[in-house]
Amino acid sequence: MTKAPKKTIPRDISWLSFNARVLQEAADPTVPLKERIRFLGIFSNNLDEFFRVRVAALKRMISLGKKARMHLEQSPQKILDSIQLIVLEQQSEFNRIWNLILQEMKREKIIIKTEKDLTRDQQKFVTTFFEEEVRSNVNPLMIENIQEFPYMREKSIYLAVVMSRKNSAYKRKYSLIEVPTRAVSRFIQLPSSRPGEHQIILLEDIIRFNLPQIFAFFEYEKFSAHIIKFTKDAEFDIDYDEALSLTAKIERGLKNRRRGKPVRFTYDKEIDPALLEYLIRRSGLTKKDHLIPGGRIHNFRHFMDFPSAVFRGKQNRRKPFMQQDLSNTTRVTDVILKKDVLLSFPYHSFNPIIDLLRESAMDPDVTMIKITAYRLASQSKVVNALINAARNGKQVIVVLELRARFDEENNLEWKEILELEGVKVVTGVPDLKVHAKICLIRKRKNNQTIHYGFVSTGNLNEKTSTVYCDHCLLTANKNIMADVNRIFNYLENHTTGAKYLKMCNTLLISPTNMRKELLKNIQAEIKAARSKKKASITVKLNSLSDDILIFKLYEAATAGVEVKMIIRGICCALTQNKKFKVAMRAISIVDEYLEHARVLIFHNQGKEKVIISSSDWMVRNLDHRVEAAVVIQQPAIAKELREIIEIQLKDNVKARILDNHQNNKYVKAVGKKIRSQVEIYQYLLKKTTAPAQVVTQD
């Protein structure tokens, strides 16, 4: 028997390859201009988070003298060296794309002006705007006079200022000014005398123009100012002091995060060399750290919100529509109690989720609502519905994950709001993040207890539901809801309730049985292939980095199982190997919407098993989080999911091939061009006109 290979692609290198696919979208001339600018913002934001989390983790491993076990053949230092080279190449490509976009913006009569090329009227406007809107938010730091280098705020950009006199090169003074993007928009539209032309100046350039006024006290004559930015370690250790509540521990951790060590320093390559050296030395960085020279503009994440009003021929997103089973009903609850319903966002409207919770809040027969929450919208309709339920006398329990990275502060605020309204808030399990997306509603009618709710692949966030592709199964299936109830029993009593998770026999649950069940399903396909029977595995995930499952997929391909994968982000699997009897096929789709759903399909000797899950195939998801996956019971829904996946596998417009070399080559278009997100929209829209069949629940 041929042995399967045992090598993988380093996780962080694969992630950088994913971000390169985002950059490809920004470079694609067929993508609308405002979307190309948005993709540059997404690329920048992604990279910030990568440095704050992954690069910081690698640096910590080095400082502790530990090797990164998730990287099988390379040390953390080698990974960091590779990251530096790749990031510098990507930065160069980023700058090239931005320059092309600037040219296209000019053709569209959208001009970004600097402080050096303003008309007289615009100079007056900028001076007045600064005095009225900006000056009160500008607080220069005279860094030469400060003994300890000042705290640099995360996610902020700073103008590094050099002041000098014309007749002396020696009398110079340095200062740092935080660009106040939290208080003032970064994009300010200038008055223009040219019809149809939009002229925009960035906030930092308004400050540059007014430097003589800001520093008038010193009577300097020459000023130069260039953007710099520090990226810091975003991790914080939870202090497991039993005297502290989890809330207090999170609050302490957030304070520690703000004092995190710099892991990257980006700067305008035109910055004064002496000031650059000074900043590197004072901030405790060395030439070995990630020092990234760039162009004039940094913190491109703000460009995700570039003013859309300036673009001609506005291209709005396709509007979501009502799922076919819910399009002609006044009560979502009535439908769910009769049949399972699958919502596929962002194609389907998110409103049924809100309506379900609102109905439950008012239904006199409903006694309890239990729900998990990971990332909530800033103006959350979900929270409003839950608060209304509590006000109406329902018992409402929200399992709120306070450790959702970068949403910790938001979730602390939601905790306080919910508890003030009488909602019971459960704040998770030590050492396990609660990432499952589940809801249970209990009602008593005619002396019977009825449970219904949902299992989802994505967050209960009405804002991201318009951009993220996810699936949500609304169901009253007794076996599914019994397991959902067991999960909540565990989450509410995690110190004594571990037995509840072990009792789950319908759902796949992390960290108890999910890994075991996945391996069991893959092994069944291997057994079928070795018996010369048809065998196939199709997985759609955000990330694939778990060695155990990757090696099992290698074993499957070596045995002759057809393995097809749609992986949006990290894919550590080497998909090409001579030992594979059937070549593995892996693609990544990066397009208008973010592919976030997790779907698994096993041939299962012709009795196809279709699963939707909240979990990626990563160690953290399978071993260190509470996750939930559900096997689809209704054949019509299983068929719909399979057909959606088949459309994606046929994508030849936005699909890239995930090969061993991470080249991100597009799938070649042969025959009809298929852009899967457009095709899926049309596929689901057509179903709204088809007659719905009512199927009674088991």
Side-chain angles (χ1 to χ4, degrees):
M1 188 181 298
T2 304
K3 284 189 176 181
K6 294 278 185 177
K7 292 183 179 180
T8 58
I9 297 167
R11 163 181 167 173
D12 300 302
I13 304 305
S14 180
W15 185 91
L16 287 170
S17 179
F18 153 67
N19 215 28
R21 296 193 282 279
V22 175
L23 204 52
Q24 283 180 326
E25 286 298 292
D28 186 346
T30 67
V31 174
L33 182 57
K34 71 174 181 178
E35 291 297 313
R36 293 176 67 188
I37 295 171
R38 188 176 69 89
F39 276 113
L40 286 181
I42 293 170
F43 171 88
S44 177
N45 193 59
N46 286 350
L47 196 59
D48 282 351
E49 185 171 326
F50 175 73
F51 269 89
R52 295 177 73 195
V53 178
R54 291 302 308 161
V55 171
L58 291 167
K59 284 178 174 283
R60 267 183 274 115
M61 289 174 190
I62 293 169
S63 67
L64 292 171
K66 295 180 179 180
K67 301 297 180 185
R69 277 185 252 170
M70 71 283 289
H71 303 299
L72 298 181
E73 296 183 289
Q74 299 184 53
S75 70
Q77 187 58 58
K78 287 183 179 177
I79 296 290
L80 285 172
D81 291 343
S82 296
I83 287 170
Q84 178 75 355
L85 290 173
I86 295 169
V87 167
L88 287 172
E89 288 176 0
Q90 290 185 350
Q91 184 65 51
S92 177
E93 176 65 1
F94 182 100
N95 293 338
R96 184 191 71 82
I97 295 167
W98 174 237
N99 287 330
L100 290 174
I101 286 176
L102 281 174
Q103 294 172 27
E104 190 168 337
M105 289 170 70
K106 284 181 181 178
R107 290 193 289 271
E108 294 285 322
K109 294 187 176 182
I110 304 167
I111 312 296
I112 295 182
K113 301 194 80 171
T114 73
E115 79 284 2
K116 294 178 181 178
D117 53 306
L118 301 174
T119 65
R120 189 168 297 176
D121 286 343
Q122 289 173 340
Q123 289 176 354
K124 289 179 182 177
F125 171 86
V126 164
T127 300
T128 303
F129 186 88
F130 176 79
E131 289 296 330
E132 294 178 353
E133 305 289 340
V134 183
R135 182 184 276 279
S136 61
N137 295 295
V138 169
N139 301 292
L141 295 170
M142 309 310 295
I143 52 179
E144 293 165 288
N145 303 330
I146 303 173
Q147 188 172 0
E148 186 176 340
F149 195 72
Y151 161 72
M152 306 298 285
R153 197 194 297 265
E154 180 63 75
K155 291 188 176 181
S156 287
I157 49 174
Y158 290 80
L159 278 170
V161 182
V162 179
M163 293 167 271
S164 60
R165 292 191 173 90
K166 292 178 181 178
N167 58 359
S168 174
Y170 295 102
K171 293 182 180 179
R172 293 152 58 93
K173 192 171 284 291
Y174 298 150
S175 178
L176 290 179
I177 298 175
E178 181 180 357
V179 180
T181 53
R182 289 172 172 81
V184 186
S185 170
R186 194 171 177 192
F187 308 102
I188 295 94
Q189 194 152 346
L190 293 165
S192 174
S193 59
R194 299 178 180 179
E197 186 169 275
H198 297 277
Q199 297 190 3
I200 292 169
I201 188 169
L202 299 181
L203 179 58
E204 56 262 38
D205 287 336
I206 287 182
I207 297 172
R208 279 188 176 105
F209 184 82
N210 287 278
L211 287 175
Q213 284 70 44
I214 295 171
F215 296 107
F217 173 81
F218 296 107
E219 298 182 346
Y220 281 96
E221 301 158 308
K222 291 175 63 180
F223 299 89
S224 70
H226 297 83
I227 290 290
I228 65 167
K229 177 183 172 184
F230 291 91
T231 307
K232 296 182 179 181
D233 186 340
E235 274 302 324
F236 57 79
D237 295 321
I238 296 294
D239 183 353
Y240 288 106
D241 181 352
E242 292 185 5
L244 294 174
S245 68
L246 180 59
T247 300
K249 293 169 188 173
I250 295 290
E251 288 171 343
R252 178 186 289 181
L254 287 169
K255 290 178 183 176
N256 291 337
R257 174 186 283 171
R258 295 186 187 106
R259 295 192 294 267
K261 294 180 180 179
V263 292
R264 180 179 59 156
F265 176 57
T266 54
Y267 57 92
D268 184 342
K269 61 181 179 293
E270 300 298 326
I271 192 172
D272 179 89
L275 176 54
L276 177 62
E277 289 288 338
Y278 180 82
L279 290 169
I280 291 171
R281 177 170 53 82
R282 287 292 309 273
S283 60
L285 294 167
T286 70
K287 294 292 177 66
K288 292 182 180 179
D289 289 301
H290 290 273
L291 310 177
I292 312 293
R296 180 183 174 91
I297 302 173
H298 288 265
N299 244 18
F300 252 86
R301 67 186 182 88
H302 291 136
F303 281 72
M304 288 191 283
D305 300 314
F306 193 83
S308 58
V310 303
F311 295 97
R312 290 182 295 177
K314 297 175 187 175
Q315 295 193 17
N316 296 320
R317 294 185 185 278
R318 293 175 290 277
K319 290 184 179 180
F321 49 87
M322 195 59 68
Q323 196 269 359
Q324 64 269 19
D325 297 310
L326 305 175
S327 57
N328 294 310
T329 183
T330 55
R331 282 176 51 88
V332 176
T333 304
D334 294 341
V335 178
I336 299 170
L337 292 177
K338 294 177 182 176
K339 63 181 294 188
D340 287 356
V341 173
L342 182 74
L343 298 177
S344 295
F345 311 122
Y347 312 104
H348 289 144
S349 170
F350 189 79
N351 287 342
I353 300 293
I354 306 298
D355 291 342
L356 177 66
L357 295 173
R358 284 174 175 165
E359 289 169 14
S360 303
M362 294 183 288
D363 189 338
D365 296 326
V366 169
T367 60
M368 179 183 290
I369 301 172
K370 298 183 181 183
I371 197 167
T372 58
Y374 197 75
R375 302 189 194 278
L376 294 162
S378 56
Q379 303 293 325
S380 178
K381 295 178 182 178
V382 170
V383 169
N384 289 342
L386 295 171
I387 287 172
N388 190 39
R391 288 174 176 173
N392 279 323
K394 318 299 180 188
Q395 184 179 2
V396 181
I397 299 170
V398 177
V399 180
L400 184 64
E401 183 48 75
L402 296 183
R403 293 159 296 180
R405 185 179 282 130
F406 305 132
D407 266 355
E408 300 96 344
E409 290 182 87
N410 293 335
N411 286 353
L412 284 172
E413 291 178 12
W414 283 125
K415 177 179 182 294
E416 184 177 353
I417 291 167
L418 287 163
E419 287 179 336
L420 284 172
E421 295 288 350
V423 174
K424 179 182 177 182
V425 178
V426 178
T427 54
V429 183
D431 298 327
L432 290 175
K433 282 187 180 180
V434 180
H435 196 248
K437 312 300 192 297
I438 52 176
C439 174
L440 178 141
I441 299 166
R442 179 181 297 163
K443 67 187 297 183
R444 288 282 296 172
K445 193 168 186 179
N446 301 326
N447 292 322
Q448 282 189 320
T449 298
I450 302 168
H451 286 151
Y452 57 100
F454 58 75
V455 180
S456 182
T457 69
N459 298 314
L460 304 179
N461 187 316
E462 57 269 26
K463 183 177 179 182
T464 59
S465 73
T466 64
V467 187
Y468 285 27
C469 295
D470 274 303
H471 300 297
C472 181
L473 181 72
L474 305 173
T475 184
N477 180 285
K478 292 180 181 178
N479 294 329
I480 293 173
M481 295 316 298
D483 276 1
V484 170
N485 193 37
R486 291 180 182 117
I487 296 171
F488 280 113
N489 286 339
Y490 165 71
L491 295 174
E492 292 173 69
N493 306 280
H494 60 81
T495 54
T496 58
K499 61 183 180 182
Y500 292 115
L501 287 189
K502 294 176 182 177
M503 291 167 63
C504 293
N505 50 30
T506 299
L507 297 182
L508 283 65
I509 309 296
S510 288
T512 51
N513 73 339
M514 187 179 291
R515 182 188 289 280
K516 179 182 174 183
E517 289 299 313
L518 292 173
L519 290 169
K520 181 179 173 183
N521 281 300
I522 298 171
Q523 184 59 42
E525 299 300 323
I526 292 171
K527 183 179 178 182
R530 287 174 179 164
S531 301
K532 309 299 182 185
K533 296 177 182 176
K534 181 174 174 56
S536 67
I537 300 166
T538 303
V539 298
K540 179 187 177 183
L541 302 164
N542 291 315
S543 298
L544 170 62
S545 65
D546 184 83
D547 289 345
I548 294 171
L549 287 171
I550 288 173
F551 294 157
K552 199 67 180 177
L553 289 176
Y554 288 171
E555 187 182 341
T558 304
V561 178
E562 184 181 22
V563 178
K564 292 176 282 188
M565 300 186 291
I566 305 168
I567 314 292
R568 187 193 85 228
I570 297 166
C571 180
C572 295
L574 290 159
T575 57
Q576 300 154 300
N577 194 288
K578 292 179 181 178
K579 293 180 180 179
F580 296 160
K581 282 187 180 178
V582 178
M584 294 174 71
R585 182 177 177 232
I587 61 170
S588 176
I589 297 169
V590 179
D591 197 356
E592 181 179 10
Y593 304 133
L594 184 139
E595 295 291 341
H596 190 255
R598 293 91 167 181
V599 182
L600 317 172
I601 304 174
F602 299 95
H603 182 261
N604 195 33
Q605 298 186 48
K607 299 176 183 177
E608 200 167 62
K609 188 179 289 187
V610 180
I611 301 168
I612 63 170
S613 175
S614 66
S615 173
D616 285 312
W617 286 12
M618 305 177 77
V619 172
R620 72 181 189 190
N621 297 87
L622 297 166
D623 299 335
H624 304 294
R625 290 186 175 184
V626 178
E627 305 269 14
V630 58
V631 180
I632 301 300
Q633 306 289 326
Q634 287 197 4
I637 294 178
K639 180 174 181 287
E640 184 171 300
L641 280 165
R642 184 180 68 251
E643 289 175 348
I644 288 172
I645 294 297
E646 285 174 354
I647 291 170
Q648 293 191 316
L649 287 168
K650 293 175 182 175
D651 192 306
N652 55 19
V653 176
K654 294 295 185 180
R656 284 79 158 175
I657 299 166
L658 298 179
D659 60 16
N660 292 1
H661 304 291
Q662 308 278 290
N663 287 329
N664 289 329
K665 290 182 179 177
Y666 285 87
V667 172
K668 287 184 179 178
V670 178
K672 179 188 174 185
K673 285 189 176 183
I674 297 173
R675 183 177 170 187
S676 59
Q677 291 185 355
V678 175
E679 296 289 330
I680 291 168
Y681 184 93
Q682 296 299 330
Y683 165 81
L684 291 172
L685 186 61
K686 287 178 183 175
K687 284 179 170 283
T688 62
T689 59
Q693 295 180 344
V694 176
V695 180
T696 305
Q697 286 285 2
D698 295 335

